Amino acid sequence: MRERDIEKRLVREIRAMGGEAFKWVSPGNDGVPDRIVMLPGGIVVFVELKADRGRLAGVQRVQIRRIQRWGQEVVVVQGMDELEEFLARMRKEVMPHEVHTA
């Protein structure tokens, strides 16, 4: 599965949960995660997406550690199976809060 297909599904499913998956572009900060997921109840997760055989670049590892040092959650999602696991976890976390359907 291609990364862009995984990304499209992430955006669609997060919106269906009443959230947003903002594309993160940070000039001068190469390697930041692809998306910032925000969901009801104050849930914020930085998400790096990879195709089934994709690998993190060194600069991505550095940025992930940097963000985690600030106490933020960063998740690397590789392939559609891992995306489904991530989405299932997010659905459980959102359940106590209002969930919207797109």
Side-chain angles (χ1 to χ4, degrees):
M1 183 69 56
R2 294 179 306 201
E3 186 174 314
R4 72 178 177 199
D5 297 324
I6 296 166
E7 190 166 21
K8 285 179 188 178
R9 180 157 173 83
L10 171 75
V11 170
R12 184 176 65 245
E13 295 298 323
I14 292 298
R15 285 183 179 158
M17 289 181 233
E20 191 63 63
F22 293 106
K23 181 76 171 170
W24 189 11
V25 178
S26 183
N29 289 294
D30 293 343
V32 295
D34 297 307
R35 295 281 173 165
I36 304 171
V37 170
M38 296 184 188
L39 288 161
I43 299 165
V44 178
V45 182
F46 294 82
V47 180
E48 176 60 38
L49 299 164
K50 292 292 177 191
D52 292 319
R53 296 180 185 211
R55 299 285 179 251
L56 289 175
V59 67
Q60 290 175 311
R61 285 188 196 92
V62 168
Q63 291 287 24
I64 288 169
R65 284 192 301 269
R66 184 175 175 220
I67 295 165
Q68 288 171 330
R69 279 197 307 268
W70 291 321
Q72 304 303 311
E73 182 178 3
V74 182
V75 174
V76 178
V77 173
Q78 187 166 11
M80 196 58 77
D81 289 343
E82 287 187 16
L83 176 63
E84 292 304 326
E85 291 172 14
F86 173 73
L87 291 171
R89 182 170 70 88
M90 292 297 99
R91 286 183 193 102
K92 285 180 184 175
E93 290 189 29
V94 170
M95 286 305 244
H97 310 286
E98 187 175 347
V99 178
H100 304 276
T101 56

